[in-house]
Amino acid sequence: MTDAAEEAHAAALKAADAARPVKLACRNVWKLFGADAARFIREHDGRATAAELAAADLVGAVRAVDLEIRQGEIFIIMGLSGSGKSTLVRCMSRLIEPTFGKVEFEGKDLLKVSDAELIELRRHRMGMVFQNFALLPHLNVAENIAFPLSIQGMDRGTREARAREVIELVGLKGREHFYPRELSGGQQQRVGIARSLATRPEVWFLDEPFSALDPLIRREMQDELMRLQAVLHKTIVFITHDFDEAIRLADRIAIMKDGEVIQIGTPEELVVSPATDYVAEFTRDVQRAKVISARSLMRACHGAEHGGTVAPDAKIASFSASIISSGKPFAVVNGSGRPLGEVTPQAVIDLLAGIEQRGATA
């Protein structure tokens, strides 16, 4: 990008984002299945190729994963079926024991904590929602939501008050005494979400929570998740195989293949700068106008009259109709209103038509 000020601004934003504390991290995490898997990876000092694993008759469900999840972000892990995403998330919460590496929660290695510490951590600081709602059929909505609080030993009055609070938060007020069989799929999922929120978790694991829902309800639940996140600011680890869902929700995305993390980045980074052909193919059908920002499409100002202004992070889809209708470039301005560049109607038309842009910032 030729505008030095814009480069500095983008760098400052990235630095501020990176400055957020790391809540959860994987350090060279492996999960191998097969005889003597732990001995094998120890003897190989935490390094092994796919060929070496195959020769040892081992399956690498998770292979050499390094990642950091920052406090308050929605971090999405995605990949095709069998890529290892669900296994990785279960390793993070130690529902599955990693074969090698470290899983750190606020810098503490979870593989070295006692069983009692781990139970306490799961009960009070972690929440989990899975594709299967797993509601208890003999308990009503309020009782299902209060159930984990009873496991914590919370007194009845306090847990019922907390259940009422969360019921209102997820929009189920008036259905406190309904049983799961009396609820729609979306309402059942709201109960599952409310139950996991009842303990006030700091880290929230969501494993394809909306994949069993029909498209309209699924989109409604995505909106609900974004609304809740705006209020609660949780650290969320979300699994999906749907890139459209990922770009709606994610701050950052990790794409997995054959147990490995291939690339980590914002939705825009993955679409604009895929690290491999696999990532490029994975993102090929994405509606680029929903992902690409004015910053990525802008060029230096050429002195023409502008038909409007947009922020650097504004997605092209949000102003495409307006800029094409005006027939004039839109100025890309920073928070102080200073122009950083401009986006032309033709550049937007080319993007919508799928014509690759080169040298747009020149």
Side-chain angles (χ1 to χ4, degrees), residues 17-344:
D17 194 45
R20 284 191 289 174
V22 174
K23 194 71 172 179
L24 192 64
C26 293
R27 314 289 186 193
N28 194 25
V29 170
W30 291 76
K31 180 57 184 178
L32 304 178
F33 293 99
D36 295 323
R39 178 179 60 80
F40 169 89
I41 197 65
R42 282 198 308 270
E43 290 177 352
H44 284 72
D45 197 27
R47 294 188 295 270
T49 65
E52 288 170 333
L53 293 176
D57 201 24
L58 297 173
V59 176
V62 172
R63 298 165 51 198
V65 169
D66 284 292
L67 58 81
E68 294 182 341
I69 299 170
R70 301 165 190 153
Q71 185 170 306
E73 77 171 326
I74 300 181
F75 188 93
I76 287 187
I77 302 173
M78 62 182 312
L80 301 178
S81 180
S83 62
K85 54 189 184 296
S86 292
T87 302
L88 176 59
V89 166
R90 282 158 173 75
C91 285
M92 289 182 186
S93 57
R94 273 191 64 188
L95 291 175
I96 294 176
E97 287 294 312
T99 309
F100 189 86
K102 293 182 179 180
V103 177
E104 296 176 349
F105 183 88
E106 296 180 341
K108 177 182 284 190
D109 187 357
L110 293 185
L111 306 187
K112 294 182 179 179
V113 303
S114 67
D115 289 346
E117 287 178 288
L118 184 61
I119 290 170
E120 191 71 7
L121 188 67
R122 286 187 188 140
R123 284 182 177 177
H124 295 277
R125 304 185 70 185
M126 292 181 176
M128 302 178 193
V129 180
F130 300 104
Q131 181 177 344
N132 182 349
F133 310 144
L135 303 183
L136 300 172
H138 61 288
L139 300 182
N140 63 29
V141 167
E143 292 165 340
N144 261 288
I145 293 170
F147 182 75
L149 303 177
S150 66
I151 298 297
Q152 288 183 355
M154 187 178 292
D155 68 87
R156 181 174 179 176
T158 304
R159 67 177 183 257
E160 287 181 350
R162 175 59 181 161
R164 287 193 297 271
E165 179 183 336
V166 182
I167 284 168
E168 185 160 358
L169 181 67
V170 301
L172 286 173
K173 189 173 182 180
R175 292 180 172 85
E176 295 89 338
H177 302 295
F178 284 38
Y179 286 86
R181 64 182 179 274
E182 300 173 302
L183 302 174
S184 68
Q187 290 168 343
Q188 289 180 34
Q189 188 61 285
R190 286 173 189 261
V191 177
I193 287 171
R195 183 176 58 188
S196 70
L197 288 175
T199 58
R200 294 186 171 90
E202 297 169 31
V203 175
W204 204 15
F205 296 105
L206 306 175
D207 188 352
E208 300 206 52
F210 309 143
S211 61
L213 303 175
D214 66 60
L216 288 178
I217 299 299
R218 182 172 187 160
R219 188 174 182 85
E220 184 179 294
M221 292 306 300
Q222 292 167 2
D223 292 340
E224 181 69 11
L225 177 64
M226 290 189 288
R227 183 187 68 81
L228 289 172
Q229 178 65 351
V231 173
L232 302 174
H233 309 292
K234 299 293 183 186
T235 302
I236 298 175
V237 183
F238 189 107
I239 294 177
T240 184
H241 62 271
D242 183 339
F243 202 83
D244 285 333
E245 180 168 72
I247 62 176
R248 286 200 77 207
L249 301 177
D251 291 308
R252 290 188 299 146
I253 299 170
I255 294 184
M256 293 190 71
K257 180 178 184 288
D258 298 330
E260 293 183 293
V261 171
I262 304 300
Q263 185 175 358
I264 299 173
T266 65
E268 184 171 10
E269 288 168 344
L270 296 179
V271 170
V272 173
S273 303
T276 67
D277 290 343
Y278 178 80
V279 176
E281 180 63 22
F282 209 97
T283 63
R284 181 170 60 88
D285 294 329
V286 171
Q287 295 185 44
R288 297 169 72 83
K290 291 185 176 181
V291 180
I292 294 178
S293 66
R295 176 187 289 114
S296 292
L297 207 60
M298 77 181 188
R299 68 180 189 184
C301 288
H302 288 187
E305 181 184 352
H306 292 126
T309 61
V310 292
D313 293 329
K315 303 306 179 188
I316 301 303
S318 70
F319 64 89
S320 58
S322 299
I323 190 172
I324 293 171
S325 175
S326 79
K328 298 176 182 178
F330 275 23
V332 181
V333 299
N334 64 14
S336 302
R338 188 178 71 82
L340 304 171
E342 65 183 17
V343 175
T344 66

